[in-house]
Amino acid sequence: MKKIYFLCTGNSCRSQMAEGLAKKILPKDWEIRSAGVEVHGLNPRAVKSMAEIGIDISENQSKIIDDNYLQQCDLVVTLCGDARDRCPITPSSVKKLHWPLPDPAQATGTESKIMEQFRSVRNQIESKISELKNFE
């Protein structure tokens, strides 16, 4: 079983969306988790943007990095520079990818404009996860 970990600063938006999308897109024999270097709680707009495409992450919890799981992963994906820079050391056998995506929680403006940012980041994550299907 392949193990993948999506990491972000607070495990509230990008990494949560990545976990939900990966569970839908990637093979069922993959173990998929997300976490943060801090715990910020689940962002309701992330939940809303995922629900729009039929993925329910409303019961997810914001979690801190589990070092034991991290050390066993085949792939670690950081979704922001902070997570990349603060991620604990992993064995050389763990492949790392960095997807420097903007934090939709930092979006400003009308609710419509903010949700556009969440959808844009969600769609970028979905595209990148689709490319992982053939990860070896």
Side-chain angles (χ1 to χ4, degrees):
M1 173 180 289
K2 288 188 169 95
K3 294 182 179 187
I4 186 170
Y5 219 173
F6 293 100
L7 304 177
C8 220
T9 301
N11 193 221
S12 65
C13 295
R14 292 165 287 186
S15 54
Q16 291 283 357
M17 290 191 284
E19 179 182 348
L21 286 159
K23 285 180 176 177
K24 178 180 178 185
I25 296 168
L26 296 176
K28 299 299 177 211
D29 63 341
W30 284 44
E31 185 174 349
I32 300 160
R33 295 187 192 178
S34 69
V37 293
E38 302 166 4
V39 174
H40 291 179
L42 184 60
N43 187 300
R45 290 182 177 119
V47 173
K48 181 178 178 181
S49 71
M50 295 298 287
E52 291 174 351
I53 61 167
I55 298 174
D56 181 8
I57 63 168
S58 64
E59 298 298 317
N60 288 17
Q61 299 290 316
S62 182
K63 301 166 291 302
I64 198 90
I65 296 171
D66 176 341
D67 195 53
N68 289 329
Y69 183 76
L70 179 70
Q71 301 303 318
Q72 300 170 19
C73 282
D74 297 288
L75 177 62
V76 171
V77 179
T78 52
L79 295 127
C80 66
D82 188 43
R84 179 196 59 210
D85 296 344
R86 295 172 59 193
C87 182
I89 302 295
T90 58
S92 60
S93 61
V94 177
K95 181 173 171 67
K96 292 183 180 178
L97 294 176
H98 179 60
W99 300 343
L101 299 169
D103 184 357
Q106 301 299 316
T108 59
T110 64
E111 183 63 19
S112 176
K113 289 288 184 192
I114 293 169
M115 283 306 298
E116 280 180 29
Q117 285 297 309
F118 273 85
R119 291 180 191 110
S120 173
V121 169
R122 177 201 65 205
N123 294 344
Q124 290 175 67
I125 293 169
E126 183 174 26
S127 176
K128 290 180 174 296
I129 288 173
S130 293
E131 296 171 8
L132 293 178
K133 283 183 182 178
N134 299 317
F135 172 78
E136 290 300 328

